[in-house]
């Protein structure tokens, strides 16, 4: 982009035929191109040793003919309202290039009038001041590679008040101080825009950069763009002495209110790897002179706003990129509330009344963030009217708020009447909040999001546990159905994760987890929904379905742990490979369970429609003497068990463990006699066996204690065995110990150490 910009500069620079002698010394008289050449028209060139300083107001340098203005020295106007450094009259042609200093300022300095330790009074007293200004349509490039300083209310560092046919290039520094002012403002540009260096605006309602008209070209942001109304952008430890004028709300750092045909890129500095090639990315700028976009607002105004109140706009594709996205965020965008009672907002697209259409998608490889001390924080918001097919994030989108009731931290928000069909995340989408607040990583109020693919991290954290206020994904208004995929990643990459609750809508939803972890409560809503795990995926939490026909499937080495509530509908639960379900099954009377491989570990009583336990499958039952606890499957239909299928047995407690447990009852039962038993999880002091005389269509397990002889204890150990074991199994301090003793030799060793010795009745090796 910059090479074509420089080419345009050269072409336009040839237009003026007459040149004046350079200004090489200080002058106090205004300068005009119409008289610059000894009273005749000519270009104005101020060298590094030259200057134009005027008093009493007015304009220091005026382009009133088709000639260039070039300042490498100093242009100064002080203490004058309505004053300007360089002004181009409407209809003129010529480049305006500043590589020196332009200062339109005042001698006023705020003081600490009430002696409370901070400055008081307005930021500026004067008004209507400008560094560089075009009064109407202008042809030529406007370039600031130097420094522009403006102090004044309703003022601007660079103000292009008509359409500019040329490029706007900012690599220097523009600083504006005063209320309702703008660092760089443009009505419309037929050319490219480059915002690098530093642009800052300080004052109530002040904006760093505002583009109100169409840009028929590309916009590249590669510098620090900063806006605030605060005197201090970091809150002091003690805020009690702050005055109202310390907490004024500034405007946004960057506002785009028109079409941008070549897209918007928040760029980063290229890698400078070569000692011989100064411009490795071939953009016409030495790599060591390029910066990284850092767009910041301190206050409630979003750092970046794209959209207008009275018109629709379109952001076109960025050229020479593989994605062709309309917006790329490679740098950093940050909105910080800073002080109590102030929201924080990062980037807002749409939501101002007009539609915003973004070609091909929005890509984030850098950072978009927002923070608030105690109010709402929203990092990236697609407001009403915003439309793009894809958000692709490989960077970080994050929000943070404090510990305040009602405060909401939202990393990604899609408002009603916006449109964002797909989200692909390989980076981090993270919402953090205090315990009383709410954290939401992705929130869709539009109902248009129908695909989320995650190979990174989507997390919501900080709100009180089990409060329902840590929400990773909220798509509950969707009625058309959602596909949510957590995809497999390659070796050497961090496993993907979703942390927080997931809320899906009334359509037919599919949630597939091929890798990593999912932890939270998942609500599928109505519709016919599907949950699948594969690979080494792990999902933990409560999974709630509606009353439709739902499917849950596990494969590979995956693990589903927690509670699955089928909502009283019909469906299937299938386990294959060496997968495992561990937890509770609720409202499953219409559910067919197929265990072709893996482990079905249901730890609470459950009613199911049917059960098919294949030879490679394991039904693991946990026996618990407490009423209503432990494994007890009630199969309303058929239970079919293949020969050599396995019944695994575990105990929930050793206290009162002896007895019979009915672990399965069925309408009809086939193949129970071919069950193999696995008692490796049963403490060695007990015996577990499938009852041969269970009731019709039942499987029962008998638990008995081994005798001293069966345990292989010697005479002295056997003498005290019954009394000591009866005492210990009822002692909570030893509960976990006895549950963990499953190997015979180890059991005999431990018991031998614990039984009373013949001399003093103490426990050998353990103190009481």
């Amino acid at each position: 982009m910059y090479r074509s910009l420089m080419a345009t500069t050269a072409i336009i620079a040839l237009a003026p035929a007459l040149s004046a002698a350079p200004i090489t010394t200080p002058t106090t008289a205004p300068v005009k191109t119409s008289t610059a050449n000894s009273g005749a028209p000519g270009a104005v060139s101020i060298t590094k040793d030259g200057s134009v300083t005027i008093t009493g107001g007015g304009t220091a340098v005026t382009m009133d003919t088709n000639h260039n203005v070039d300042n490498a020295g100093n242009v100064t106007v002080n203490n004058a309202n309505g004053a300007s450094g360089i002004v181009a009259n409407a209809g003129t042609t010529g480049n305006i290039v500043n590589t020196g200093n332009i200062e339109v300022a005042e001698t006023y300095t705020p003081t600490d009038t009430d002696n409370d330790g901070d400055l008081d009074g307005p930021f500026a007293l004067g008004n209507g001041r400008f560094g560089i200004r075009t009064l109407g349509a202008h042809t030529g490039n406007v370039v600031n590679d130097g420094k522009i300083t403006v102090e004044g209310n309703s003022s601007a560092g660079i103000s292009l008040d008509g359409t500019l046919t040329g490029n706007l290039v900012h690599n220097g520094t523009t600083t504006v101080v005063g209320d309702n002012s703008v660092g760089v403002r443009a009505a419309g540009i037929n050319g490219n825009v480059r915002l690098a260096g530093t642009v800052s605006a300080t004052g109530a309602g002040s904006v760093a950069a505002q583009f109100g008209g169409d840009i028929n070209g590309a916009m590249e942001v590669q510098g620090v763009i900063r806006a605030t109304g605060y005197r201090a952008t970091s809150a002091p430890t003690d805020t009690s002495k702050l005055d109202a004028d310390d907490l004024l709300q500034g405007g946004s750092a960057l506002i785009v209110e028109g079409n941008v045909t070549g897209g918007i890129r928040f760029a980063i500095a290229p890698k400078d790897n070569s000692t011989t090639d100064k411009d490795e990315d071939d953009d016409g700028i030495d790599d060591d002179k390029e910066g990284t976009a850092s767009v910041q607002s301190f206050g409630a105004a979003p750092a970046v706003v794209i959209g207008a109140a009275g018109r629709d706009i379109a952001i076109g594709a960025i050229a020479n990129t593989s994605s062709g996205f309309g917006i790329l965020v490679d740098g950093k965008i940050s909105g910080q509330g800073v002080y109590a009672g102030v929201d924080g907002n990062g980037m807002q697209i749409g939501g101002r009344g007009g539609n915003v259409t973004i070609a091909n998608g929005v890509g984030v490889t850098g950072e978009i963030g927002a923070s608030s001390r105690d109010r709402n924080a929203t990092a990236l918001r697609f407001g009403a009217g915003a439309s793009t097919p894809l958000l692709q994030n490989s960077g970080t989108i994050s929000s943070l708020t404090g510990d305040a009731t009602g405060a909401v931290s939202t990393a990604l928000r899609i408002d009603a009447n916006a449109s964002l069909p797909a989200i692909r995340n390989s980076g981090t989408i993270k919402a953090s909040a205090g315990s009383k607040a709410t954290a939401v990583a992705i929130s869709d109020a539009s109902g248009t999001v129908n695909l989320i693919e995650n190979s990174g991290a989507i997390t919501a954290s900080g709100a009180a546990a089990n409060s329902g206020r840590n929400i990773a994904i909220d798509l509950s208004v969707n009625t058309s159905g959602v596909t949510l995929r957590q995809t497999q990643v390659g070796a050497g990459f961090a496993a993907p994760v979703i942390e927080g609750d997931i809320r899906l809508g009334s359509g037919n939803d599919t949630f597939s987890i091929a890798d990593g972890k999912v932890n939270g409560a998942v609500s599928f809503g109505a519709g016919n929904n599907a949950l699948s795990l594969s690979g080494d995926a792990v999902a933990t939490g409560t999974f709630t379905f509606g009353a439709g026909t739902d499917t849950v499937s596990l494969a590979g080495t995956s693990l589903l742990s927690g509670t699955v509530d089928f909502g009283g509908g019909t469906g299937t639960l299938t386990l294959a490979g060496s997968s495992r379900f561990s937890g509770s099954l609720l409202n499953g009377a219409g559910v067919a369970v197929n265990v072709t491989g893996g482990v079905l570990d249901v730890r609470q009583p459950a009613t199911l429609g049917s059960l098919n336990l294949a030879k490679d499958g394991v039904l693991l039952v946990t026996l618990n003497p407490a009423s209503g606890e432990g494994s007890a499957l009630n199969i309303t239909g058929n239970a079919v068990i293949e020969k050599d299928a396995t019944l695994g047995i575990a105990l929930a407690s050793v206290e009162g463990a002896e007895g019979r447990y009915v672990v399965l009852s069925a309408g009809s039962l086939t193949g129970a006699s071919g069950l193999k038993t696995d008692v490796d999880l049963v403490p060695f002091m007990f015996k577990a066996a499938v009852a041969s005389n269970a009731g019709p269509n039942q499987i029962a397990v008998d638990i008995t204690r081994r005798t001293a002889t069966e345990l292989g204890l010697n005479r002295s150990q056997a003498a005290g065995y019954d009394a000591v074991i009866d005492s210990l199994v009822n002692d909570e301090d030893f509960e976990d110990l006895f549950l963990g003793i499953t190997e015979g030799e180890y059991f005999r060793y431990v018991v031998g150490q614990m039984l009373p010795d013949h001399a003093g009745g103490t426990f050998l090796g353990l103190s009481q």
Side-chain angles (χ1 to χ4, degrees):
M1 182 183 85
Y2 198 71
R3 283 194 182 278
S4 63
L5 188 156
M6 291 297 100
T8 305
T9 301
I11 293 170
I12 295 174
L14 295 176
L18 300 174
S19 297
I23 298 173
T24 60
T25 59
T27 180
T28 58
V31 177
K32 297 183 178 181
T33 60
S34 60
T35 57
N37 187 25
S38 300
V44 173
S45 177
I46 306 169
T47 69
K48 65 181 181 63
D49 297 319
S51 65
V52 177
T53 301
I54 65 171
T55 58
T59 300
V61 179
T62 301
M63 179 189 290
D64 54 354
T65 58
N66 297 333
H67 294 84
N68 295 333
V69 172
D70 183 355
N71 173 50
N74 293 284
V75 174
T76 306
V77 187
N78 284 321
N79 297 312
N81 292 336
S84 299
I86 299 173
V87 171
N89 288 347
T92 53
T93 295
N95 297 320
I96 302 172
V97 178
N98 176 55
T99 57
N101 297 309
I102 300 173
E103 182 177 290
V104 185
E106 59 188 17
T107 55
Y108 162 74
T109 301
T111 59
D112 182 8
T113 57
D114 56 6
N115 297 314
D116 64 353
D118 60 71
L119 299 177
D120 302 300
F123 286 103
L125 297 179
N127 57 77
R129 296 165 178 169
F130 302 89
I132 295 174
R133 188 180 190 188
T134 61
L135 296 179
H138 180 78
T139 300
N141 299 312
V142 176
V143 180
N144 178 36
D145 282 344
K147 183 177 181 180
I148 299 173
T149 303
V150 175
E151 296 174 351
N153 303 303
S154 301
S155 301
I158 298 175
S159 183
L160 309 180
D161 296 346
T163 298
L164 175 71
T165 300
N167 300 295
L168 172 61
V169 181
H170 189 286
N171 293 314
T173 299
T174 295
T175 303
V176 176
V177 177
D179 295 346
N180 302 310
S181 295
V182 181
V184 176
R185 176 172 60 208
I189 297 175
N190 292 319
N192 297 316
V193 174
R194 174 176 167 80
L195 283 179
T198 300
V199 180
S200 68
T202 303
S206 291
V207 174
Q210 183 171 15
F211 296 85
D214 294 341
I215 299 173
N216 292 313
M219 172 180 281
E220 182 176 72
V221 181
Q222 202 175 17
V224 177
I225 316 298
R226 179 180 180 272
T228 186
Y230 300 144
R231 293 193 187 277
T233 56
S234 297
T237 303
D238 181 8
T239 60
S240 62
K241 295 183 179 180
L242 294 178
D243 304 312
D245 59 15
D246 298 314
L247 303 174
L248 299 174
Q249 290 300 301
S252 294
L254 174 63
I255 300 175
V256 177
E257 297 175 300
N259 300 322
V260 184
T261 61
I264 304 171
R265 185 162 197 167
F266 299 86
I268 61 175
K271 294 181 179 179
D272 190 5
N273 296 323
S274 173
T275 58
T276 57
D277 186 354
K278 293 183 177 181
D279 184 16
E280 294 177 56
D281 60 351
D282 296 324
D283 65 351
I285 309 170
D286 288 351
D287 296 336
D288 62 357
K289 295 180 181 178
E290 296 192 61
T292 292
S294 178
V295 185
Q296 305 169 306
S297 72
F298 299 91
V304 175
V305 174
I306 299 174
R311 59 167 298 192
D312 298 341
I313 68 172
I315 310 300
I318 299 172
N320 303 317
T321 59
S322 58
S323 66
F325 289 158
I327 297 176
L328 283 173
V329 181
D330 303 323
K332 182 176 181 179
I333 296 170
S334 173
Q336 303 172 49
V338 182
Y339 294 97
V342 182
D343 294 344
N345 294 284
M347 183 177 192
Q348 177 182 323
I349 302 170
R352 300 188 69 195
N355 295 324
V356 180
T357 304
I358 302 168
N360 302 320
V362 174
V364 180
T365 64
E367 300 178 38
I368 302 177
S371 64
S372 173
R373 292 176 67 89
D374 57 2
R375 293 287 296 274
N376 297 337
T378 306
L380 175 57
R381 176 187 171 197
F382 289 86
S387 175
T388 195
L390 171 66
L391 170 66
Q392 182 165 295
N393 175 56
S394 59
T396 299
I397 302 171
S398 64
S399 60
L400 171 67
T401 192
D403 190 13
T405 300
V408 181
S409 168
T410 308
L412 171 60
R413 166 79 179 177
I414 304 99
D415 285 350
N417 299 316
S419 178
L420 179 64
I423 299 169
R424 289 190 172 95
N425 176 57
S426 59
T428 298
I429 301 176
K430 175 176 67 173
S432 304
S435 63
K436 298 176 184 176
T438 297
V440 186
I442 299 175
S443 174
D444 175 31
S446 72
T448 63
V449 176
N450 53 50
L451 172 66
I452 296 179
E453 291 183 344
N454 178 51
S455 58
I458 301 174
T459 64
S461 63
N466 302 316
S467 65
R469 289 185 277 105
N470 290 311
I471 305 166
I473 300 171
D474 187 353
L475 308 180
S476 56
V477 302
N478 182 282
T479 60
S480 60
V482 171
T483 298
L484 175 57
R485 299 191 189 108
Q486 181 149 292
T487 60
Q488 189 172 17
V489 300
F493 292 89
V497 62
I498 299 176
E499 181 78 28
D501 295 349
I502 298 173
R503 301 174 180 177
L504 303 177
S506 59
N508 299 330
D509 303 315
T510 299
F511 186 10
S512 61
I513 310 168
D515 198 358
K517 296 181 179 180
V518 173
N519 183 25
V522 180
S523 175
F524 283 89
N528 301 322
N529 304 300
L531 170 66
S532 65
L533 281 74
S534 58
D536 59 356
V538 176
T540 305
T542 300
F543 303 82
T544 304
F545 293 89
T549 299
D550 305 306
T551 61
V552 178
S553 61
L554 286 73
T557 61
S558 62
L559 168 63
L560 178 59
S561 177
T563 299
V564 175
D565 186 341
F566 284 97
T570 59
T572 58
L573 168 61
T574 302
L575 280 72
S578 55
S579 63
R580 181 180 184 126
F581 170 79
S582 181
S584 302
L585 297 174
L586 305 180
N587 298 309
V591 175
V593 179
N594 301 296
V595 186
T596 62
V599 179
L600 178 64
D601 174 15
V602 182
R603 300 183 178 184
Q604 298 290 327
T607 298
L608 303 169
S610 64
L611 172 66
N612 178 25
L613 184 64
K615 64 182 181 63
D616 294 325
V618 176
L619 174 61
L620 177 60
V621 295
T622 300
L623 310 182
N624 193 327
S627 176
E629 299 292 332
S631 302
L633 299 183
N634 176 29
I635 309 300
T636 60
N638 300 324
V640 178
I641 299 173
E642 291 186 8
K643 188 177 185 303
D644 293 330
T646 300
L647 178 68
I649 302 170
L651 299 185
S653 171
V654 296
E655 183 179 357
E658 294 179 275
R660 172 165 291 188
Y661 300 83
V662 176
V663 297
L664 185 146
S665 299
S668 66
L669 176 60
T670 303
S673 61
L675 267 176
K676 297 189 300 185
T677 57
D678 181 350
V679 296
D680 286 348
L681 296 179
V682 177
F684 187 69
M685 65 185 294
F686 294 104
K687 293 186 296 184
V690 176
S692 59
N693 59 344
N697 299 319
Q698 287 186 339
I699 298 175
V701 175
D702 290 327
I703 299 295
T704 58
R705 187 188 298 176
R706 294 182 187 271
T707 66
T709 300
E710 289 174 322
L711 292 172
L713 301 179
N714 60 37
R715 182 180 300 174
S716 61
Q717 293 169 339
Y721 168 70
D722 287 335
V724 171
I725 295 302
D726 284 343
S727 173
L728 293 179
V729 297
N730 292 301
D731 190 330
E732 292 182 359
D733 292 337
F734 292 96
E735 173 81 7
D736 292 339
L737 172 65
F738 275 97
L739 279 173
I741 300 176
T742 56
E743 296 293 334
E745 290 301 324
Y746 180 56
F747 178 87
R748 283 188 287 273
Y749 168 76
V750 171
V751 171
Q753 294 294 306
M754 294 173 64
L755 289 172
D757 66 12
H758 296 294
T762 59
F763 290 104
L764 299 178
L766 294 172
S767 60
Q768 296 189 60

